[in-house]
Amino acid sequence: MSPSKLSSNHIPVMLQEAMRALAVQPGGRYIDCTLGGGGHALAILERSSPGGQLLGIDADPEAIKIARARLGAYSSSILLVNENFANLQAICIKYDFFPVHGILFDLGLSSLQLNRNGRGFSFQHDAPLDMRLNPNQEVTAADIINASSEAELAHLIRTYGEEGYSRQIARHIMSGRPIRTTLQLARTIERAIGRRRGKIHPATRTFQALRIAVNRELENLEAALKQAINLLGFEGRLVVISYHSLEDRIVKQFMQQEAKDCICPSGTPVCVCGHKARLRLIKKRVITPSLSEIQLNPRSRSAKLRVAERIITQDDYYGIAEVRDFLAEAKAGAWRRPALLKKLEMVFAAA
Ligand SMILES: C[S@@+](CC[C@H](N)C(=O)[O-])C[C@H]1O[C@@H](n2cnc3c(N)ncnc32)[C@H](O)[C@@H]1O
């Protein structure tokens, strides 16, 4: 299949909601940390034209190829990088791509990855138990399955899969080893806990747990969020779409914490943390897909979108002489002009 044909198989989730949350506008500079099939990226480029710029990142080299083909009409406005978003700040420094107006994370896997045989992400196809987003990563799902102790497996499946039957599954995996393929693992899990439980296949949670462990998904997300905040310009938007409660909890706690002026434990009589809010929550509650989107694209049913905006207070840069004037100008809504962007870069460099 040609790259452009492949890209049409992934329907971007909550596209309109994500564009509204990012407040995409002409001439803006954006980062899509999870490029995938390039669906959200294309919408950002359409809305930020003329003059928009996009840095697209994906850990999967195949995704970069597909997105490059799809975004061909905007080739002079894009920079696509096959990297892990855990290195977000280093990537932006390397390519001199900050501050930005918006950063998007659309976490998890694309349909292209789930549907492609051979990657081992899905138990719908028989394939080696791999699950690496990037073939240069060292550890595969088979390594974890065949080298971990029973207690380690049970812990991993319970923690990352939120699976209540983790001990039974771990016991069956131990007696079924070596397990090398997706179907072998799915059958082992069926033997451990039965063929069907409600609507989801009994292997779903264990596969999720393995994928999270292989790709260090939660650690990478935490690292990237902390870096993203440093890259956003004044009123820049941080938008995250997540697909399971472990990811959403990280995003929610991060945004809530960064929106507070003090994070001392409750009951502390006087603030000792010195923490200052760097984000403002645009919506306090999570945004979920419409019923019609879920009907059209069932993959969207578990999506949760959260959005926050970077605030920069005078306190952040107290003592940097020209910052006060700059902030007054920026607050007047003029900061999107290139000259002001340049000034903002200087502020960031000095901070
Ligand atoms: C749900 S898809 C994104 C789909 C995309 N928004 C679109 O509209 O086509 C998630 C993408 O993020 C990538 N990804 C997941 N974790 C990553 C990480 N830590 N670093 C870079 N890319 C990652 C995956 O390889 C996948 O292509």
Side-chain angles (χ1 to χ4, degrees):
M1 216 183 286
S2 72
S4 52
K5 185 89 184 153
L6 269 172
S7 65
S8 60
N9 289 341
H10 180 87
I11 308 170
V13 171
M14 299 184 78
L15 185 63
Q16 300 309 328
E17 292 87 340
M19 292 309 113
R20 261 198 305 277
L22 276 173
V24 180
Q25 40 197 296
R29 195 194 262 183
Y30 299 89
I31 307 177
D32 183 346
C33 293
T34 50
L35 192 60
H40 285 103
L42 182 61
I44 291 173
L45 285 161
E46 284 166 354
R47 287 164 176 75
S48 63
S49 173
Q53 296 173 338
L54 179 106
L55 168 64
I57 300 172
D58 205 294
D60 182 348
E62 283 291 308
I64 296 286
K65 256 193 240 161
I66 291 165
R68 196 178 294 288
R70 186 172 197 186
L71 305 177
Y74 292 94
S75 57
S76 57
S77 310
I78 57 173
L79 179 62
L80 306 188
V81 186
N82 178 211
E83 254 283 9
N84 198 299
F85 60 55
N87 306 320
L88 182 59
Q89 196 157 302
I91 299 166
C92 290
I93 290 170
K94 177 172 174 187
Y95 294 104
D96 194 16
F97 202 91
F98 66 95
V100 295
H101 298 80
I103 302 183
L104 172 69
F105 291 85
D106 175 24
L107 299 167
L109 295 181
S110 69
S111 321
L112 311 170
Q113 288 160 324
L114 283 168
N115 298 341
R116 221 176 310 143
N117 303 343
R119 302 290 297 269
F121 288 119
S122 162
F123 44 80
Q124 310 288 353
H125 318 280
D126 199 17
L129 264 182
D130 186 325
M131 298 199 190
R132 289 170 301 172
L133 286 177
N134 186 311
N136 293 331
Q137 287 166 225
E138 277 178 17
V139 179
T140 67
D143 294 333
I144 293 177
I145 284 287
N146 293 306
S148 307
S149 69
E150 185 174 330
E152 283 167 344
L153 281 174
H155 179 71
L156 184 148
I157 296 168
R158 186 173 58 250
T159 315
Y160 291 157
E162 300 184 288
E163 170 61 85
Y165 296 93
S166 57
R167 281 205 299 229
Q168 289 91 318
I169 295 174
R171 200 175 322 125
H172 274 73
I173 290 176
M174 294 305 283
S175 54
R177 291 200 317 203
I179 296 175
R180 305 239 173 261
T181 72
T182 49
L183 284 194
Q184 234 185 315
L185 178 60
R187 301 263 147 75
T188 307
I189 297 167
E190 283 173 4
R191 275 198 295 280
I193 61 173
R195 289 180 79 80
R196 282 268 155 214
R197 284 181 307 150
K199 279 191 189 147
I200 70 163
H201 187 281
T204 306
R205 293 178 190 277
T206 303
F207 270 65
Q208 171 185 305
L210 277 171
R211 199 195 80 205
I212 291 177
V214 167
N215 296 296
R216 301 176 52 79
E217 290 182 18
L218 304 183
E219 294 91 331
N220 289 342
L221 175 61
E222 281 185 33
L225 290 175
K226 284 188 195 136
Q227 296 168 43
I229 218 168
N230 298 328
L231 301 164
L232 288 169
F234 177 63
E235 291 182 350
R237 294 283 177 96
L238 174 62
V239 177
V240 187
I241 306 174
S242 64
Y243 294 87
H244 56 77
S245 55
L246 299 172
E247 284 171 346
D248 183 54
R249 199 172 307 143
I250 290 174
V251 179
K252 179 177 165 186
Q253 285 175 356
F254 175 80
M255 287 186 174
Q256 283 180 345
Q257 172 146 324
E258 288 300 337
K260 282 187 195 156
D261 264 342
C262 166
I263 52 170
C264 290
S266 62
T268 311
V270 184
C271 173
V272 286
C273 68
H275 188 266
K276 288 274 171 259
R278 295 191 295 165
L279 290 180
R280 182 172 75 84
L281 302 180
I282 295 294
K283 293 262 182 216
K284 290 222 163 51
R285 300 181 72 103
V286 73
I287 303 171
T288 51
S290 64
L291 273 179
S292 57
E293 174 167 4
I294 295 173
Q295 274 160 2
L296 214 67
N297 180 14
R299 205 188 82 82
S300 69
R301 68 186 175 279
S302 52
K304 291 198 161 84
L305 185 151
R306 293 190 185 269
V307 50
E309 183 175 84
R310 180 76 159 102
I311 50 174
I312 299 174
T313 63
Q314 294 202 359
D315 287 352
D316 281 346
Y317 302 114
Y318 202 72
I320 301 176
E322 62 180 306
V323 171
R324 259 187 307 274
D325 295 346
F326 161 71
L327 280 172
E329 218 175 330
K331 279 184 178 157
W335 76 283
R336 294 176 203 285
R337 292 207 313 266
L340 283 169
L341 274 178
K342 202 79 214 148
K343 262 197 201 173
L344 194 54
E345 269 168 30
M346 285 160 43
V347 169
F348 272 79

